[in-house]
Structures are given as C-alpha cells and as structure tokens.
C-alpha cells in the first residue's frame, strides 16, 4: 500500500498480510520536492506480516509514529526480494524529523527488524517495544 502526497494520515486497526512488495510505503518517496511541508504519519494497532520486501518503508519528509503495532516476517515467505526489513527508514523524500516506535513488536525480518539507511534522520525513539528473531527463521 503506497500512500503519498498527503498532509497527514492516521491508520488504525489494519492488517496487511503478505503483499508482494512493501506492505506500507509512506512519505512522498521520489515525488518529493523541497517546498512540501513535513507531515505526520500515525499507526495505531497496525499489523504488517510477511510482505515480500520491507513491511513498512518510511521515505522521509515527516514525523512518524507507531503505537501497539506488530511487524513480522519481512521477506520470509513465497515472494521476497531486497530490501527485507520490518521497518526501513530512508530519506529519499527528504528529512525524517522523528520516528517513534512505542509498545510495538518487530520480529523475524529477513535482513533486519529495524534499519536506517541515511544520516538525514533527526531522531528515533523506541520505547516499551520487543525486537527479536525466532530460531525457526534461521
């Protein structure tokens, strides 16, 4: 699910399961320009499991928050390619002002559970969360 060109978004009580590419792709991605205002992206009780690439791609130009979310088994099923993480923070759309992961579980991402691929990130806060790999996936 790709969401771009929005002012703010809140996603609540949604399950995304085994999408062939990224499960959720938020931010402006390659369509950003320097004149767009940073936007809030809020996830509450969202489950993203077993997508073929990253479960959640954060592409910049905003503030990102997740609370009570489960992200698991990125690129661990029939369809998989690179990159392969549960949450990937990249800044192709500009600066990531803040990422908050609160009361979430990140588990069994093929390459990583949480990865940042740029220095253009202002702050990351992981609070009351569980991040792990289960032996059955290795």
């Amino acid at each position: 699910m790709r969401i771009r060109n929005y002012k703010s978004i809140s996603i609540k009580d949604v399950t995304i399961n085994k999408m062939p590419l990224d499960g959720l792709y938020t931010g402006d991605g390659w369509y950003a320009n320097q004149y767009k205002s940073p936007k809030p992206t809020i996830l509450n009780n969202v489950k993203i499991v077993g997508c073929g690439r990253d479960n959640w791609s954060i592409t910049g130009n905003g503030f990102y928050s997740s609370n009570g979310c489960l992200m698991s088994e990125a690129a661990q099923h029939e369809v998989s390619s690179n990159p392969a993480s549960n949450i990937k923070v990249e800044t192709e759309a500009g600066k990531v002002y803040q990422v908050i992961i609160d009361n979430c579980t990140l588990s069994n991402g093929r390459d990583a559970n949480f990865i940042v691929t740029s220095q253009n990130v202002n702050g990351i806060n992981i609070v009351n969360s569980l991040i792990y790999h289960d032996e059955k996936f290795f």
Side-chain angles (χ1 to χ4, degrees):
M1 191 164 57
R2 178 175 275 188
I3 303 170
R4 62 184 172 116
N5 295 326
Y6 56 91
K7 291 184 180 180
S8 68
I9 189 160
S10 177
I11 302 171
K12 182 178 180 181
D13 299 326
V14 170
T15 298
I16 300 171
N17 191 22
K18 293 186 178 179
M19 298 300 291
L21 295 173
D22 294 359
L24 180 61
Y25 182 100
T26 56
D28 291 326
W30 296 107
Y31 302 97
N33 67 51
Q34 62 184 341
Y35 304 108
K36 289 190 175 183
S37 298
K39 57 194 69 175
T41 302
I42 302 165
L43 276 59
N44 285 299
N45 196 34
V46 172
K47 296 176 184 168
I48 306 176
V49 179
C51 296
R53 290 175 33 115
D54 298 318
N55 279 335
W56 183 20
S57 289
I58 295 172
T59 65
N61 195 36
F63 302 90
Y64 299 87
S65 175
S66 63
N67 184 23
C69 296
L70 168 69
M71 301 199 191
S72 183
E73 302 174 24
Q76 293 281 6
H77 296 279
E78 300 83 23
V79 176
S80 68
S81 65
N82 293 324
S85 59
N86 283 312
I87 298 177
K88 180 179 177 192
V89 179
E90 51 193 336
T91 57
E92 59 190 43
K95 187 173 188 167
V96 171
Y97 293 91
Q98 186 172 34
V99 177
I100 299 171
I101 308 296
D102 187 9
N103 195 31
C104 295
T105 300
L106 308 177
S107 66
N108 303 318
R110 189 188 74 201
D111 292 343
N113 284 312
F114 185 88
I115 190 167
V116 179
T117 62
S118 172
Q119 294 180 1
N120 200 12
V121 178
N122 193 46
I124 296 172
N125 296 300
I126 301 174
V127 183
N128 300 319
S129 295
L130 179 62
I131 301 174
Y132 71 94
H133 275 91
D134 188 329
E135 289 183 21
K136 75 178 185 175
F137 287 95
F138 294 96

